[in-house]
Each structure stands twice: as structure tokens, then as C-alpha cells.
Amino acid sequence: MKWSQCHIYTSKEAPADAEIASHKLLVRGGYLKKLAPGIYTYSHLLLRSIRKFEALIRDELNRCGCTEVLMPVVHPSSLWEETGRWTEMGAGLLKFQNRNQHWFCLAATHEEAVTDYIRHDIKSYRDLPRNIYQIQTKYRDEIRPRFGLMRCREFIMKDAYSFDANQADALKSYEQMYAAYKAIFSRLGLEFRIVQADAGNIGGSQTHEFQVLAEAGEDSLLVSTSSDFAANIEVAPAIDPESVKESTEVFLPIEKFPTPNLKTIAQLSEALQIKKSELVKTLFYSTNEGFDPKDKSLKPIAILLRGEDDANPVKIKNVLGLVNPPLMLTDEEVKEVTGAWPGSCGPVELKIPIYMDTGVSKLKNFIVGANEDGFHLKNVNESRDFKATQIADLRMAKEGDLCPSGQGVLKAYRGIEVGHVFYLGTKYSKKMQATFLDKNGKAQPLEMGCYGIGVTRTVQAAIEQSHDVDGIVWPKSIAPFHVHICALDVKNEKLMALVRQVEYELEASGLEVLVDDRDERPGVKFKDADLLGMPIRISIGARGLEAGEVEVVERKNKVVHKVAPQEVVAKVQSLIKEL
Ligand code: ATP
Ligand code: MG
């Protein structure tokens, strides 16, 4: 294909809102154009990559018996009300009314739609198993879209849904999809980890995320140094290194003391010369999820943590059985609940539920805020001075913590969540009366699983993992074209004849070729070729032509091979094969 037909417009500068390399390169290469925050047009070149990734996904899914369909993007509210997610999804679900004042939303996910689709058809255990998928646009009204296709509002997802007669079969379907995902991301050629994860508001009990490793990733992962344990930090159990022992001290008398201007754990630790790990901080959250718009009450809870630990909102959500991670109270709300501003608050005489992290349960005679501005209490002990509603693991695990498998310690990585598999059980089928008749003629709810791949996010993740200072280095699996020919003098008829011949021969051998046919200087063309990142560049110039030489350059390592025109195809094929 000719550059002049492709609508390619590169630029030297990246826009100010592009923070990470892959986003900058996509915009600079003209691959991506913003229409509104989180909403993009994909250029012809990017679409070629997206389509290639989709083809790879289809190949693996069709191989294991999945069936492709295409469901609507616009859903009626009644469908989502059946499962309660019309309200539970919160503001992420974009809702609107049509001309008849009926409510609809743009699909953020399709559990409801697919369950509705199959419940009319599946009657008997003989209809099972089924695995139905689609590759389609999703809309999520993300609060802060950023990083281009990584966290956008409109994006392409592959979503699959399995239906089985019982749990054992449903777990088999889960394993099958797990294996298919492994094959998909391996064929893509990316470095990834499979980690235990939280089910979010999709629900379900068993779930794994597929994470592409990259420093710019939004997710924190903890991976064992010696076993195959790997988890998203959201769910990784926090187990202290062995050095942290339970205190054997006896309870001392509680004492109030002034701490003017000492508000943070760091300030207290320095002024009192006490380790942060021996100070206890109190954080406040609201468990009112706002599903009932009339209920404006706060429903506050307190969380106790050691000074150096961070609260894990997903663990708090799971311990309390909430649908979404809770939000922290504002300073004003904390003042209303405790009588003091944050920094001077603590659990003693607090009239709200108190959840204590397991790390704090090892401490005795600790220091907390006195619920009076400028004062703290020392020698505070649970059971004597306050009663914890529950003691649980509520903190973020961190690098160096012990691995839950008992072998090794945890090492931290950053990741981009590209895929997610869930075992759902009967969460949706029960609420939506999606049943089948079992062998005894008894109606049973269908056992379900759901499986997503962020198609557009993955394509950008590939760039995040594979680029250099000059531009993108596409993995062969999803490169828009295999070969980029730079025609260095478009007015030279003889040269252009050779360009056409090389293009023709390469295409005849099954390779995809982009020809830069612009009347531009070689330097401009080379820079653009590096930026766009096709695996192989061929440069055909007048001087080379005289010498009977064509340059074949590998994008990955910039190695230059000078070959005769008639050897180009064989050379390119062998280089591509090695990639
Ligand atoms: P995240 O935690 O990143 O918000 P999620 O867990 O809500 O994602 P899922 O419901 O598991 O997402 O969706 C399946 C896949 O869709 C994700 O693994 C991810 O690759 C992709 N995806 C989700 N949200 C976005 C988004 N805002 N932009 C691009 N891709 C997304
Ligand atoms: Mg997810």
C-alpha cells in the first residue's frame, strides 16, 4: 500500500496530555486521534494492528469451541435492573433517555445481555456447554481517562461467556479459557504474568488477571521469588517478614499527652522517636454505597493500621461485603464523627465500627489520636480501651513480605491488565431466571463464567513493552505492515520501477508492504519509518541502485544488510522468520 493513500500524518511533538511512551508514540505516529477525552479514532494503520490481534483471538477461541455473536451496545434499563447493576455500576454506566423517555445505557459489559440472549434458547442440559463471545465496543464513563487506549471511555473488548450444567463443568470451561488466553498472549509475543485478582463488580469467586509487565502499568503485582504464587496487590495477603514478632509487654496505664502540630505519622515518629511501625493510625471510610439516592447518611467505619502500612480498599470492601471499594471521609466528615480533625483521631470511645488490621493486633501499649485536636493517647490496647468489630488483613502487602505459599518472599512488578477471567457461578442466572432442565427434569440455574480481553488496551500495551527512543518496535504478530519501503527518489523512474517490483514480490510472498512514496528527503522518511515501527525497512536510493544494492534494515536493532535487488525477498523472509 502507498503512504499517499493511507492518510498518515506524523508529528515531532506529543500532546501535553500524553504521559507515557506508548501514548506519545501512538499520537506522534498519527495512529490515534482524540475526538473527546477518552474517545479516539483509530487510524488505518492502527486498525490493521487491532484487526490482526482480533484475528489471533478468534483463531484461539474458535479452536476451543467458542461461538462468535454481536450484541447491542445500547441496553434498556430493565435488563440491568434485573441484576441490580443499574445502580451498583454507579456513574461508570452512561445512561440516557430516548424520545419516549425510556432509560437506556451504553454497554459497559455484557453479562446481562448475553444471559438474556441465551435464556430464551437453552432449555435442557443437552444444550450445554456453550461459550459465546463477541469483539465489540464498550463504553465506560471513566472518571479520569488517561494514557490513551489504556484507560479510555470507548474501547474494543473481546468478551466471552460460558454456560454449563454444574460447577465442575463451569470450572473446566474456566480452565479452557485460561489456557486459550495463555496461548493468545504468548502468540502476541508479550511478557506477561497471570495473577490472582479481585472480581470487582462483575462478581464471582475465582478470577485471574493477565498482566503485561511494564513500568507504566497502573496495577501493582506481587510475585513470589520461589513459587508460582502471583497476585494483584489488591488481593495479595499481607504476611510480615519473620522479624515482626508479637509484643509480650503487659498493659500499661493509658495516658493522654499533648502533641501540638504533630499530625502525620512521620511527624509523630520523629518527635517521639518511635518507629512508624509502632504507631497506629486511624482512617475513616463511608460504607454507604449511595445506591439509594434518598439515603444521604454516612455509615462511617474506622480502620486501624500500623503507621507505615497502607490501607487496601479492595480488602476492606471484601471484608465488609461491599459491592465497591469504600470512599474515605472528608476532613469535615471526620471532624463530625470524632470531634477532631484528621491527625488527632483514634479508636478510644469511638461510637462507630472499628476494623483492625492484623498488623496492629501484634502491638501493645501503642499510640493513637485522642479524638481531641492536638492530643494523643499512649499505652492504648485493644480489648481494654476499645473493642474491634473485626480483626482482618486490611493492608497492602509489599515487596519483601512472605509469600503465602510458604516459599520465598514477594517481589513487586508493575502491570497492565489486558485480560481477566472470572468464574461467576449462578450470580446472574439466578437473578435473571436463566435455567435449564437437568437429567432429572428439574430446573437448575446455569453455571456461568465470563472472560474479557481489552483489545485496544493490549495493542497499546504491546507498544509500551516494545519501543525505543526513536519510536515503536511492533511485535511481528500485530505490526500494521511487515515491511516499510522508503523510496528515496520518487522522481527517478528506474528507481520507482524497482520499488514496485520489490513491493510486488514481497506481497506475492505473503508479506504486507507500506511504500513511502512521498517526495520527501531521506532523513524525514527514515525518521518516520523508525517512529511507525514496522519490523523491516527497505531503503531504495539512486546511489544503491547504481551499485546494485538495496538496504534492508531491522527495526529492532537497526542492523543494516546490503543485498542485491533479486535477493531482497529471501532476505526479508528470513529476517521476519527470526523475529
Ligand atoms: P480496570 O481494573 O483496568 O478498570 P476492569 O477490571 O474494570 O479494568 P474488566 O471488567 O475486567 O476491566 O474488563 C475486561 C478488560 O477490558 C480488562 O482486562 C481491560 O483489558 C479492558 N478494559 C477495562 N476498562 C478499560 C478501559 N477503561 N480502557 C481500555 N480497556 C479497558
Ligand atoms: Mg478486570
Side-chain angles (χ1 to χ4, degrees):
M1 186 175 258
K2 290 194 178 72
W3 179 298
S4 55
Q5 292 169 341
C6 267
H7 194 85
I8 308 171
Y9 295 90
T10 61
S11 57
K12 287 204 183 74
E13 301 297 327
D17 69 350
E19 297 167 62
I20 60 174
S22 53
H23 186 192
K24 288 183 187 162
L25 293 174
L26 278 172
V27 179
R28 285 190 49 215
Y31 282 104
L32 202 60
K33 275 264 158 32
K34 186 159 92 178
L35 182 69
I39 302 178
Y40 294 93
T41 297
Y42 316 132
S43 75
H44 174 70
L45 292 192
L46 186 61
L47 190 62
R48 291 178 75 99
S49 291
I50 292 171
R51 293 288 180 248
K52 283 190 180 179
F53 184 40
E54 290 174 350
L56 200 159
I57 293 174
R58 283 193 177 95
D59 188 45
E60 289 296 334
L61 295 190
N62 295 348
R63 197 193 294 268
C64 60
C66 304
T67 307
E68 187 171 357
V69 299
L70 191 59
M71 290 181 272
V73 184
V74 173
H75 297 182
S77 60
S78 55
L79 188 66
W80 289 72
E81 273 157 2
E82 285 190 52
T83 59
R85 289 208 297 179
W86 183 253
T87 47
E88 276 178 22
M89 292 290 283
L93 199 62
L94 184 64
K95 301 166 180 172
F96 55 93
Q97 284 179 301
N98 73 349
R99 63 176 78 199
N100 304 321
Q101 277 77 55
H102 294 150
W103 281 98
F104 291 85
C105 66
L106 290 183
T109 174
H110 278 76
E111 283 77 17
E112 282 82 357
V114 76
T115 306
D116 179 69
Y117 174 57
I118 58 90
R119 70 179 160 182
H120 301 296
D121 303 325
I122 291 182
K123 300 275 184 291
S124 145
Y125 68 94
R126 286 191 214 93
D127 299 325
L128 300 171
R130 279 279 181 281
N131 192 320
I132 288 176
Y133 78 97
Q134 64 174 349
I135 298 179
Q136 199 229 31
T137 298
K138 295 277 184 281
Y139 188 90
R140 295 183 178 181
D141 213 31
E142 299 279 357
I143 302 179
R144 213 182 137 214
R146 57 186 191 147
F147 302 154
L149 300 177
M150 294 284 192
R151 182 161 301 285
C152 43
R153 290 187 167 141
E154 186 179 307
F155 57 97
I156 301 175
M157 194 199 286
K158 185 289 300 172
D159 43 330
Y161 305 87
S162 63
F163 299 90
D164 282 282
N166 55 52
Q167 190 186 42
D169 288 354
L171 291 173
K172 255 188 246 159
S173 296
Y174 183 94
E175 292 306 326
Q176 198 177 34
M177 292 302 276
Y178 185 102
Y181 274 36
K182 236 172 143 170
I184 289 166
F185 292 112
S186 303
R187 277 177 66 183
L188 200 55
L190 300 184
E191 205 193 337
F192 66 96
R193 290 278 187 288
I194 306 171
V195 302
Q196 295 173 23
D198 185 63
N201 51 20
I202 302 284
S205 52
Q206 181 173 325
T207 173
H208 288 91
E209 286 168 353
F210 288 70
Q211 296 269 357
V212 165
L213 300 185
E215 266 313 303
E218 287 187 294
D219 286 20
S220 292
L221 316 177
L222 291 165
V223 178
S224 173
T225 50
S226 3
S227 75
D228 58 9
F229 175 86
N232 191 308
I233 197 168
E234 291 179 346
V235 296
I239 310 171
D240 288 329
E242 261 143 337
S243 56
V244 183
K245 293 271 179 330
E246 192 154 347
S247 160
T248 52
E249 289 171 56
V250 291
F251 287 1
L252 299 174
I254 192 166
E255 230 178 90
K256 184 157 98 176
F257 65 106
T259 47
N261 304 321
L262 300 182
K263 290 215 172 65
T264 65
I265 289 290
Q267 290 165 342
L268 272 172
S269 165
E270 200 183 319
L272 307 176
Q273 287 297 297
I274 295 178
K275 280 197 263 170
K276 286 182 189 165
S277 58
E278 290 169 15
L279 291 166
V280 171
K281 64 184 174 195
T282 313
L283 304 177
F284 298 89
Y285 290 84
S286 174
T287 60
N288 185 343
E289 302 200 68
F291 299 148
D292 177 0
K294 279 181 252 138
D295 180 4
K296 301 273 184 239
S297 66
L298 213 48
K299 299 198 176 71
I301 57 157
I303 302 288
L304 296 191
L305 295 161
R306 287 177 301 197
E308 64 176 5
D309 289 331
D310 291 320
N312 183 326
V314 171
K315 288 183 180 174
I316 300 173
K317 174 202 82 168
N318 290 335
V319 165
L320 273 85
L322 302 173
V323 176
N324 294 303
L327 296 179
M328 287 188 88
L329 299 195
T330 63
D331 289 1
E332 287 71 24
E333 289 166 342
V334 171
K335 176 83 174 165
E336 201 184 304
V337 169
T338 68
W341 293 104
S344 299
C345 304
V348 180
E349 283 172 29
L350 212 53
K351 302 279 180 296
I352 59 174
I354 297 168
Y355 291 84
M356 187 162 105
D357 177 61
T358 47
V360 180
S361 66
K362 291 185 183 154
L363 302 180
K364 289 216 179 89
N365 300 318
F366 47 81
I367 292 174
V368 296
N371 293 330
E372 187 179 333
D373 289 330
F375 286 91
H376 277 75
L377 298 172
K378 70 169 80 157
N379 302 330
V380 171
N381 290 285
E382 202 269 337
S383 74
R384 185 190 67 182
D385 304 317
F386 68 94
K387 188 88 195 83
T389 310
Q390 195 177 335
I391 298 172
D393 174 5
L394 301 170
R395 66 186 185 278
M396 292 286 187
K398 46 184 182 293
E399 187 161 77
D401 280 1
L402 296 185
C403 174
S405 70
Q407 290 163 36
V409 293
L410 299 180
K411 188 168 162 34
Y413 292 87
R414 303 292 298 176
I416 301 165
E417 182 198 323
V418 288
H420 202 159
V421 291
F422 300 83
Y423 160 62
L424 294 171
T426 54
K427 176 178 161 155
Y428 293 91
S429 53
K430 273 191 179 145
K431 285 185 179 156
M432 296 184 68
Q433 283 95 46
T435 58
F436 68 99
L437 295 178
D438 68 12
K439 283 188 177 144
N440 304 316
K442 196 166 162 252
Q444 302 280 6
L446 287 157
E447 278 276 338
M448 289 175 60
C450 72
Y451 317 91
I453 291 180
V455 173
T456 37
R457 182 187 280 184
T458 307
V459 170
Q460 184 171 331
I463 299 174
E464 195 55 46
Q465 208 176 68
S466 184
H467 67 268
D468 63 17
V469 286
D470 297 318
I472 297 169
V473 181
W474 281 108
K476 154 173 82 168
S477 56
I478 54 168
F481 290 93
H482 300 108
V483 182
H484 186 140
I485 300 181
C486 290
L488 299 183
D489 183 355
V490 292
K491 295 195 183 101
N492 180 332
E493 250 322 302
K494 203 166 144 215
L495 187 150
M496 291 312 283
L498 178 61
V499 167
R500 279 192 295 276
Q501 187 195 333
V502 170
E503 178 191 12
Y504 173 79
E505 285 177 16
L506 287 168
E507 284 181 345
S509 80
L511 296 171
E512 293 156 327
V513 185
L514 174 68
V515 178
D516 187 347
D517 58 344
R518 293 173 300 167
D519 189 8
E520 280 288 359
R521 284 178 292 115
V524 172
K525 294 196 173 198
F526 295 155
K527 268 207 159 56
D528 278 342
D530 282 347
L531 175 61
L532 294 180
M534 309 315 152
I536 301 290
R537 162 161 63 89
I538 299 175
S539 301
I540 304 182
R543 226 177 300 146
L545 194 64
E546 297 306 316
E549 243 176 29
V550 166
E551 260 183 22
V552 177
V553 186
E554 297 177 61
R555 173 64 187 88
K556 203 166 163 182
N557 50 24
K558 306 262 179 83
V559 172
V560 179
H561 308 266
K562 292 189 191 293
V563 295
Q566 64 274 18
E567 285 162 15
V568 169
V569 175
K571 184 70 197 170
V572 171
Q573 269 181 331
S574 85
L575 289 173
I576 295 265
K577 211 162 158 202
E578 283 162 26
L579 283 175

